[in-house]
Amino acid sequence: MKKVVLKLTIHDDKDKQKALRKVSSLSGINSVAVDMKESKLTVIGDVDPVQVVSKLRKQGQVDILTVGPAKEEKKEDGKKDDDKKKEQIAEVYKAYLAYNPPLPPYHYQYYVQSAEENPNGCVIC
């Protein structure tokens, strides 16, 4: 489900009816709303925004303002779920460390010498 908000050039009710007729012919649309004051068309459903714009292109200039999810659901229990997930992850990590102990750190020290510093070094000229 997507919510697509478009800006149209709508002057009167006739333009509004044409836009509604063209958009409603697409499949997968649940609702269509027009705001005459702001010249906005809101389409909610499983539809590609490019298809909606291509249908309305003959009528006038069409701009896509926003494309997003249809409804934003708020979870109050989300914090509790996050805490449970963190506890489960901590338990799994402890079990992982019990069977797979971490390797000791190895610190390799590299020392690079140039030919000028080491007179016994082999140099091919």
Side-chain angles (χ1 to χ4, degrees):
M1 295 283 286
K2 291 182 185 177
K3 180 179 179 181
V4 181
V5 180
L6 305 167
K7 185 167 180 77
L8 298 172
T9 53
I10 299 175
H11 302 291
D12 55 357
D13 287 334
K14 189 175 181 181
D15 291 339
K16 175 183 169 183
Q17 291 300 323
K18 284 182 182 180
L20 288 173
R21 191 176 305 123
K22 287 181 181 181
V23 172
S24 64
S25 67
L26 293 171
S27 62
I29 292 180
N30 290 345
S31 68
V32 179
V34 177
D35 185 11
M36 289 293 289
K37 291 180 183 177
E38 298 180 7
S39 299
K40 290 184 181 178
L41 176 77
T42 305
V43 179
I44 298 175
D46 294 325
V47 66
D48 187 22
V50 176
Q51 288 179 344
V52 176
V53 170
S54 66
K55 279 283 190 179
L56 296 171
R57 190 60 78 175
K58 269 189 174 178
Q59 187 174 351
Q61 184 177 359
V62 181
D63 296 325
I64 299 176
L65 295 179
T66 61
V67 177
K71 292 184 180 179
E72 296 180 7
E73 298 178 6
K74 295 182 180 178
K75 280 191 172 181
E76 295 177 3
D77 298 331
K79 295 178 183 176
K80 294 179 182 177
D81 293 338
D82 291 340
D83 292 338
K84 289 180 183 178
K85 288 180 183 179
K86 288 180 182 178
E87 290 175 2
Q88 290 175 349
I89 291 172
E91 290 175 12
V92 170
Y93 184 69
K94 287 179 184 176
Y96 174 78
L97 289 179
Y99 287 106
N100 301 319
L103 297 175
Y106 293 105
H107 299 287
Y108 296 106
Q109 294 181 355
Y110 294 104
Y111 182 68
V112 179
Q113 291 183 346
S114 65
E116 290 88 26
E117 293 175 358
N118 188 2
N120 295 330
C122 180
V123 178
I124 301 173
C125 295

Short mmCIF file of all heavy atoms in Angstrom, two decimals, residues 15-55:
data_model
loop_
_atom_site.label_atom_id
_atom_site.label_comp_id
_atom_site.label_asym_id
_atom_site.label_seq_id
_atom_site.Cartn_x
_atom_site.Cartn_y
_atom_site.Cartn_z
N ASP A 15 -12.21 19.61 -14.68
CA ASP A 15 -10.85 19.08 -14.63
C ASP A 15 -10.72 18.05 -13.50
O ASP A 15 -10.04 17.04 -13.65
CB ASP A 15 -9.84 20.20 -14.41
CG ASP A 15 -9.72 21.10 -15.62
OD1 ASP A 15 -10.08 20.68 -16.74
OD2 ASP A 15 -9.24 22.25 -15.45
N LYS A 16 -11.40 18.33 -12.40
CA LYS A 16 -11.36 17.41 -11.27
C LYS A 16 -11.98 16.06 -11.64
O LYS A 16 -11.41 15.00 -11.36
CB LYS A 16 -12.12 18.02 -10.09
CG LYS A 16 -12.24 17.13 -8.90
CD LYS A 16 -13.07 17.81 -7.83
CE LYS A 16 -13.44 16.85 -6.72
NZ LYS A 16 -14.30 17.47 -5.71
N GLN A 17 -13.12 16.08 -12.31
CA GLN A 17 -13.78 14.84 -12.71
C GLN A 17 -12.95 14.06 -13.72
O GLN A 17 -12.87 12.83 -13.67
CB GLN A 17 -15.17 15.16 -13.31
CG GLN A 17 -16.16 15.66 -12.30
CD GLN A 17 -16.42 14.67 -11.19
OE1 GLN A 17 -16.46 13.46 -11.42
NE2 GLN A 17 -16.57 15.17 -9.97
N LYS A 18 -12.30 14.77 -14.64
CA LYS A 18 -11.44 14.09 -15.62
C LYS A 18 -10.28 13.39 -14.92
O LYS A 18 -9.94 12.25 -15.24
CB LYS A 18 -10.89 15.10 -16.63
CG LYS A 18 -11.87 15.54 -17.67
CD LYS A 18 -11.20 16.49 -18.64
CE LYS A 18 -12.15 17.00 -19.70
NZ LYS A 18 -11.48 17.94 -20.63
N ALA A 19 -9.67 14.07 -13.97
CA ALA A 19 -8.54 13.49 -13.25
C ALA A 19 -8.98 12.26 -12.46
O ALA A 19 -8.31 11.22 -12.49
CB ALA A 19 -7.92 14.52 -12.32
N LEU A 20 -10.12 12.36 -11.79
CA LEU A 20 -10.62 11.22 -11.02
C LEU A 20 -10.95 10.04 -11.92
O LEU A 20 -10.68 8.89 -11.59
CB LEU A 20 -11.86 11.63 -10.22
CG LEU A 20 -11.60 12.54 -9.01
CD1 LEU A 20 -12.92 12.99 -8.42
CD2 LEU A 20 -10.77 11.83 -7.99
N ARG A 21 -11.54 10.31 -13.08
CA ARG A 21 -11.90 9.26 -14.01
C ARG A 21 -10.66 8.53 -14.54
O ARG A 21 -10.62 7.31 -14.64
CB ARG A 21 -12.72 9.83 -15.16
CG ARG A 21 -13.36 8.76 -16.02
CD ARG A 21 -14.25 9.34 -17.12
NE ARG A 21 -15.26 10.24 -16.59
CZ ARG A 21 -15.42 11.52 -16.96
NH1 ARG A 21 -14.63 12.04 -17.87
NH2 ARG A 21 -16.36 12.26 -16.45
N LYS A 22 -9.62 9.31 -14.89
CA LYS A 22 -8.40 8.73 -15.44
C LYS A 22 -7.67 7.89 -14.40
O LYS A 22 -7.21 6.78 -14.69
CB LYS A 22 -7.48 9.81 -15.98
CG LYS A 22 -7.96 10.42 -17.27
CD LYS A 22 -7.00 11.46 -17.76
CE LYS A 22 -7.50 12.09 -19.06
NZ LYS A 22 -6.56 13.09 -19.57
N VAL A 23 -7.57 8.40 -13.20
CA VAL A 23 -6.83 7.69 -12.16
C VAL A 23 -7.60 6.45 -11.69
O VAL A 23 -7.01 5.40 -11.44
CB VAL A 23 -6.53 8.63 -10.98
CG1 VAL A 23 -5.95 7.87 -9.81
CG2 VAL A 23 -5.57 9.70 -11.41
N SER A 24 -8.90 6.55 -11.59
CA SER A 24 -9.68 5.41 -11.11
C SER A 24 -9.71 4.25 -12.10
O SER A 24 -10.06 3.14 -11.73
CB SER A 24 -11.11 5.86 -10.78
OG SER A 24 -11.76 6.28 -11.96
N SER A 25 -9.29 4.48 -13.35
CA SER A 25 -9.25 3.39 -14.32
C SER A 25 -8.07 2.45 -14.07
O SER A 25 -8.06 1.33 -14.58
CB SER A 25 -9.18 3.95 -15.74
OG SER A 25 -7.95 4.61 -15.94
N LEU A 26 -7.07 2.89 -13.29
CA LEU A 26 -5.93 2.03 -12.97
C LEU A 26 -6.34 0.95 -11.97
O LEU A 26 -7.19 1.17 -11.12
CB LEU A 26 -4.79 2.85 -12.40
CG LEU A 26 -4.11 3.84 -13.35
CD1 LEU A 26 -3.16 4.73 -12.57
CD2 LEU A 26 -3.36 3.11 -14.42
N SER A 27 -5.69 -0.22 -12.07
CA SER A 27 -6.00 -1.29 -11.14
C SER A 27 -5.14 -1.18 -9.89
O SER A 27 -4.00 -0.70 -9.95
CB SER A 27 -5.77 -2.65 -11.80
OG SER A 27 -4.41 -2.79 -12.14
N GLY A 28 -5.67 -1.60 -8.76
CA GLY A 28 -4.93 -1.60 -7.51
C GLY A 28 -5.11 -0.34 -6.67
O GLY A 28 -4.39 -0.14 -5.70
N ILE A 29 -6.08 0.50 -7.03
CA ILE A 29 -6.29 1.74 -6.28
C ILE A 29 -7.42 1.54 -5.28
O ILE A 29 -8.49 1.05 -5.62
CB ILE A 29 -6.62 2.90 -7.24
CG1 ILE A 29 -5.39 3.21 -8.08
CG2 ILE A 29 -7.08 4.12 -6.46
CD1 ILE A 29 -5.58 4.32 -9.05
N ASN A 30 -7.15 1.93 -4.01
CA ASN A 30 -8.16 1.81 -2.97
C ASN A 30 -8.96 3.09 -2.80
O ASN A 30 -10.17 3.04 -2.62
CB ASN A 30 -7.52 1.43 -1.64
CG ASN A 30 -6.99 0.02 -1.66
OD1 ASN A 30 -7.31 -0.76 -2.53
ND2 ASN A 30 -6.15 -0.29 -0.69
N SER A 31 -8.28 4.25 -2.83
CA SER A 31 -9.01 5.51 -2.67
C SER A 31 -8.29 6.63 -3.42
O SER A 31 -7.08 6.60 -3.58
CB SER A 31 -9.16 5.88 -1.20
OG SER A 31 -7.91 6.19 -0.65
N VAL A 32 -9.09 7.59 -3.85
CA VAL A 32 -8.59 8.76 -4.56
C VAL A 32 -9.27 9.98 -3.95
O VAL A 32 -10.48 10.00 -3.75
CB VAL A 32 -8.91 8.70 -6.07
CG1 VAL A 32 -8.39 9.94 -6.78
CG2 VAL A 32 -8.34 7.45 -6.69
N ALA A 33 -8.47 11.01 -3.63
CA ALA A 33 -9.03 12.24 -3.06
C ALA A 33 -8.39 13.43 -3.75
O ALA A 33 -7.22 13.40 -4.12
CB ALA A 33 -8.77 12.29 -1.56
N VAL A 34 -9.20 14.50 -3.93
CA VAL A 34 -8.72 15.71 -4.58
C VAL A 34 -8.93 16.89 -3.64
O VAL A 34 -10.01 17.07 -3.09
CB VAL A 34 -9.45 15.96 -5.92
CG1 VAL A 34 -8.99 17.25 -6.54
CG2 VAL A 34 -9.24 14.81 -6.86
N ASP A 35 -7.88 17.69 -3.47
CA ASP A 35 -7.96 18.92 -2.70
C ASP A 35 -7.90 20.08 -3.69
O ASP A 35 -6.86 20.36 -4.27
CB ASP A 35 -6.81 19.00 -1.70
CG ASP A 35 -6.90 20.20 -0.79
OD1 ASP A 35 -7.96 20.86 -0.81
OD2 ASP A 35 -5.93 20.47 -0.08
N MET A 36 -9.04 20.73 -3.91
CA MET A 36 -9.13 21.79 -4.91
C MET A 36 -8.36 23.05 -4.50
O MET A 36 -7.81 23.73 -5.36
CB MET A 36 -10.60 22.16 -5.15
CG MET A 36 -11.38 21.08 -5.88
SD MET A 36 -10.85 20.86 -7.57
CE MET A 36 -11.46 22.35 -8.31
N LYS A 37 -8.31 23.36 -3.21
CA LYS A 37 -7.63 24.58 -2.77
C LYS A 37 -6.14 24.53 -3.06
O LYS A 37 -5.55 25.52 -3.50
CB LYS A 37 -7.85 24.79 -1.28
CG LYS A 37 -9.27 25.13 -0.92
CD LYS A 37 -9.42 25.33 0.56
CE LYS A 37 -10.87 25.60 0.92
NZ LYS A 37 -11.05 25.72 2.38
N GLU A 38 -5.52 23.38 -2.80
CA GLU A 38 -4.08 23.24 -2.99
C GLU A 38 -3.73 22.53 -4.30
O GLU A 38 -2.55 22.32 -4.58
CB GLU A 38 -3.47 22.50 -1.82
CG GLU A 38 -3.64 23.22 -0.50
CD GLU A 38 -3.03 22.46 0.65
OE1 GLU A 38 -2.37 21.44 0.41
OE2 GLU A 38 -3.22 22.89 1.80
N SER A 39 -4.74 22.15 -5.08
CA SER A 39 -4.55 21.44 -6.35
C SER A 39 -3.76 20.16 -6.17
O SER A 39 -2.81 19.87 -6.90
CB SER A 39 -3.86 22.32 -7.39
OG SER A 39 -4.63 23.44 -7.66
N LYS A 40 -4.14 19.36 -5.16
CA LYS A 40 -3.44 18.11 -4.87
C LYS A 40 -4.36 16.93 -5.08
O LYS A 40 -5.55 17.00 -4.80
CB LYS A 40 -2.94 18.09 -3.42
CG LYS A 40 -1.81 19.04 -3.16
CD LYS A 40 -1.31 18.91 -1.75
CE LYS A 40 -0.19 19.87 -1.45
NZ LYS A 40 0.27 19.76 -0.06
N LEU A 41 -3.78 15.85 -5.60
CA LEU A 41 -4.49 14.59 -5.79
C LEU A 41 -3.78 13.54 -4.95
O LEU A 41 -2.57 13.36 -5.07
CB LEU A 41 -4.47 14.19 -7.27
CG LEU A 41 -5.08 12.85 -7.61
CD1 LEU A 41 -6.60 12.95 -7.59
CD2 LEU A 41 -4.62 12.39 -8.97
N THR A 42 -4.53 12.85 -4.08
CA THR A 42 -3.98 11.82 -3.22
C THR A 42 -4.52 10.47 -3.66
O THR A 42 -5.73 10.28 -3.73
CB THR A 42 -4.35 12.08 -1.75
OG1 THR A 42 -3.94 13.39 -1.39
CG2 THR A 42 -3.69 11.07 -0.84
N VAL A 43 -3.60 9.54 -3.96
CA VAL A 43 -3.97 8.20 -4.41
C VAL A 43 -3.40 7.20 -3.41
O VAL A 43 -2.21 7.23 -3.09
CB VAL A 43 -3.40 7.91 -5.82
CG1 VAL A 43 -3.77 6.52 -6.27
CG2 VAL A 43 -3.88 8.94 -6.81
N ILE A 44 -4.25 6.30 -2.91
CA ILE A 44 -3.83 5.27 -1.97
C ILE A 44 -4.14 3.91 -2.58
O ILE A 44 -5.25 3.66 -3.02
CB ILE A 44 -4.54 5.42 -0.62
CG1 ILE A 44 -4.19 6.76 0.02
CG2 ILE A 44 -4.18 4.28 0.32
CD1 ILE A 44 -4.92 7.06 1.28
N GLY A 45 -3.11 3.04 -2.63
CA GLY A 45 -3.29 1.70 -3.16
C GLY A 45 -1.98 1.11 -3.65
O GLY A 45 -0.92 1.71 -3.51
N ASP A 46 -2.07 -0.07 -4.23
CA ASP A 46 -0.90 -0.74 -4.79
C ASP A 46 -0.77 -0.35 -6.25
O ASP A 46 -1.19 -1.08 -7.15
CB ASP A 46 -1.04 -2.27 -4.66
CG ASP A 46 -1.02 -2.71 -3.21
OD1 ASP A 46 -0.30 -2.07 -2.44
OD2 ASP A 46 -1.72 -3.68 -2.88
N VAL A 47 -0.19 0.79 -6.50
CA VAL A 47 -0.07 1.31 -7.86
C VAL A 47 1.28 1.99 -8.01
O VAL A 47 1.85 2.52 -7.04
CB VAL A 47 -1.24 2.28 -8.17
CG1 VAL A 47 -1.16 3.52 -7.32
CG2 VAL A 47 -1.30 2.63 -9.62
N ASP A 48 1.80 1.95 -9.22
CA ASP A 48 3.07 2.60 -9.52
C ASP A 48 2.84 4.09 -9.73
O ASP A 48 1.98 4.48 -10.53
CB ASP A 48 3.68 1.97 -10.77
CG ASP A 48 5.07 2.45 -11.07
OD1 ASP A 48 5.74 2.93 -10.14
OD2 ASP A 48 5.49 2.35 -12.23
N PRO A 49 3.58 4.97 -9.04
CA PRO A 49 3.37 6.41 -9.20
C PRO A 49 3.63 6.89 -10.63
O PRO A 49 3.00 7.85 -11.09
CB PRO A 49 4.38 7.04 -8.24
CG PRO A 49 4.72 5.98 -7.27
CD PRO A 49 4.53 4.68 -7.96
N VAL A 50 4.52 6.21 -11.34
CA VAL A 50 4.82 6.61 -12.72
C VAL A 50 3.60 6.38 -13.62
O VAL A 50 3.32 7.17 -14.52
CB VAL A 50 6.05 5.84 -13.23
CG1 VAL A 50 6.32 6.16 -14.68
CG2 VAL A 50 7.26 6.16 -12.38
N GLN A 51 2.87 5.28 -13.37
CA GLN A 51 1.66 5.02 -14.15
C GLN A 51 0.60 6.08 -13.90
O GLN A 51 -0.09 6.51 -14.83
CB GLN A 51 1.09 3.64 -13.81
CG GLN A 51 1.91 2.49 -14.32
CD GLN A 51 1.30 1.16 -13.94
OE1 GLN A 51 0.44 1.08 -13.06
NE2 GLN A 51 1.75 0.10 -14.60
N VAL A 52 0.48 6.51 -12.66
CA VAL A 52 -0.51 7.55 -12.32
C VAL A 52 -0.16 8.84 -13.04
O VAL A 52 -1.03 9.50 -13.63
CB VAL A 52 -0.57 7.76 -10.79
CG1 VAL A 52 -1.52 8.89 -10.45
CG2 VAL A 52 -0.98 6.49 -10.10
N VAL A 53 1.11 9.21 -13.03
CA VAL A 53 1.54 10.45 -13.68
C VAL A 53 1.34 10.35 -15.19
O VAL A 53 0.90 11.30 -15.83
CB VAL A 53 3.01 10.75 -13.33
CG1 VAL A 53 3.54 11.89 -14.18
CG2 VAL A 53 3.14 11.09 -11.87
N SER A 54 1.64 9.19 -15.77
CA SER A 54 1.48 9.05 -17.22
C SER A 54 0.02 9.14 -17.64
O SER A 54 -0.29 9.63 -18.73
CB SER A 54 2.10 7.73 -17.70
OG SER A 54 1.39 6.64 -17.18
N LYS A 55 -0.91 8.70 -16.80
CA LYS A 55 -2.33 8.83 -17.11
C LYS A 55 -2.78 10.29 -17.09
O LYS A 55 -3.62 10.70 -17.88
CB LYS A 55 -3.18 8.05 -16.08
CG LYS A 55 -3.26 6.58 -16.34
CD LYS A 55 -4.21 6.30 -17.46
CE LYS A 55 -4.47 4.82 -17.56
NZ LYS A 55 -5.41 4.47 -18.60
#
